[in-house]
């Protein structure tokens, strides 16, 4: 059984994340979407809210499991007995940041592998930050997020 971990803050989950998760779920038996507590990020949604939104989006897909975690990602990966991470790579800025992260993960857990997936071109410039900004100023985000997430954003506004 090959399991892959897709970690992130998901504040909130966007269609760009959904696309990566769906593609990963075709390559692996199980995808664990690992929602990071990210206490330093001052998130719009609480950890429980972010987990709830991801669960709602994938509620009919049993091979996509959603879990929250705090602390080091490599400790979570060890606890889940999984050593493959998926990350999305949108821009060269993502690339530099992700290269640094993956190098550190290798130091902390030598058996870990990071796999990078390019975004679907429709979502190449989509980020949770942009979605939050547009939604908080009353813009329509239904093209970029699941309807459940769009409603949660409206309730926050
Ligand atoms: P983090 O705080 O760890 O960057 P995010 O929730 O912002 O968490 O993103 C999680 C992962 O999803 C990262 O690998 C990021 O590059 C990727 N990602 C974010 N948005 C997109 C998108 N539109 N297309 C593809 N990958 C994306």
């Amino acid at each position: 059984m090959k399991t892959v971990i897709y970690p992130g803050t998901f504040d909130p989950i966007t269609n760009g994340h959904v696309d990566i998760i769906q593609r990963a779920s075709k390559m692996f038996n199980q995808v664990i979407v690992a929602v990071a507590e990210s206490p330093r990020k001052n998130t719009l949604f609480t950890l429980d809210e972010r987990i709830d939104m991801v669960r709602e989006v994938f509620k009919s897909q049993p091979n996509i499991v959603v879990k929250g975690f705090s602390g080091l990602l490599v400790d979570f990966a060890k606890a889940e007995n999984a050593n493959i991470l998926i990350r999305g790579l949108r821009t060269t800025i993502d690339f530099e940041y992700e290269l640094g992260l993956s190098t550190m993960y290798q130091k902390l857990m030598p058996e870990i592998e990071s796999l990078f997936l390019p975004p679907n071109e429709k979502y190449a410039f989509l980020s949770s930050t942009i979605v939050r900004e547009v939604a908080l100023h009353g813009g329509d985000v239904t093209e970029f997020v699941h309807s459940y997430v769009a409603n949660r954003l409206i309730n926050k506004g």
Side-chain angles (χ1 to χ4, degrees):
M1 170 100 162
K2 267 284 176 209
T3 296
V4 70
I5 296 178
Y6 180 50
T9 309
F10 306 106
D11 186 37
I13 183 163
T14 70
N15 289 342
H17 297 127
V18 172
D19 173 60
I20 296 277
I21 295 165
Q22 297 289 17
R23 284 157 57 203
S25 75
K26 292 189 186 116
M27 293 186 276
F28 295 91
N29 303 102
Q30 177 174 258
V31 180
I32 300 176
V33 183
V35 184
E37 189 183 15
S38 300
R40 284 188 302 105
K41 277 205 173 164
N42 220 339
T43 55
L44 176 64
F45 292 98
T46 65
L47 177 61
D48 285 346
E49 289 172 329
R50 287 179 280 131
I51 293 172
D52 170 66
M53 287 184 278
V54 185
R55 287 215 172 113
E56 180 64 29
V57 172
F58 297 107
K59 64 181 177 200
S60 57
Q61 286 174 262
N63 66 328
I64 298 171
V65 177
V66 186
K67 295 185 179 184
F69 77 100
S70 54
L72 282 178
L73 176 60
V74 290
D75 291 337
F76 176 80
K78 282 176 195 161
E80 294 295 326
N81 259 321
N83 68 336
I84 306 172
L85 302 176
I86 291 263
R87 296 286 288 172
L89 267 193
R90 285 161 298 184
T91 60
T92 51
I93 301 166
D94 275 354
F95 179 77
E96 294 212 359
Y97 174 68
E98 295 294 338
L99 201 61
L101 267 184
S102 66
T103 309
M104 179 52 78
Y105 292 149
Q106 277 170 14
K107 297 255 181 239
L108 296 171
M109 183 179 167
E111 65 274 33
I112 205 145
E113 295 290 355
S114 297
L115 292 184
F116 299 111
L117 285 183
N120 181 303
E121 67 169 326
K122 281 193 287 192
Y123 310 124
F125 296 100
L126 183 57
S127 70
S128 298
T129 309
I130 291 175
V131 164
R132 282 196 309 273
E133 284 294 312
V134 171
L136 289 177
H137 292 93
D140 180 10
V141 291
T142 49
E143 196 185 323
F144 311 116
V145 295
H146 188 280
S147 55
Y148 184 80
V149 176
N151 284 329
R152 300 304 303 264
L153 280 162
I154 289 168
N155 292 340
K156 283 272 176 193

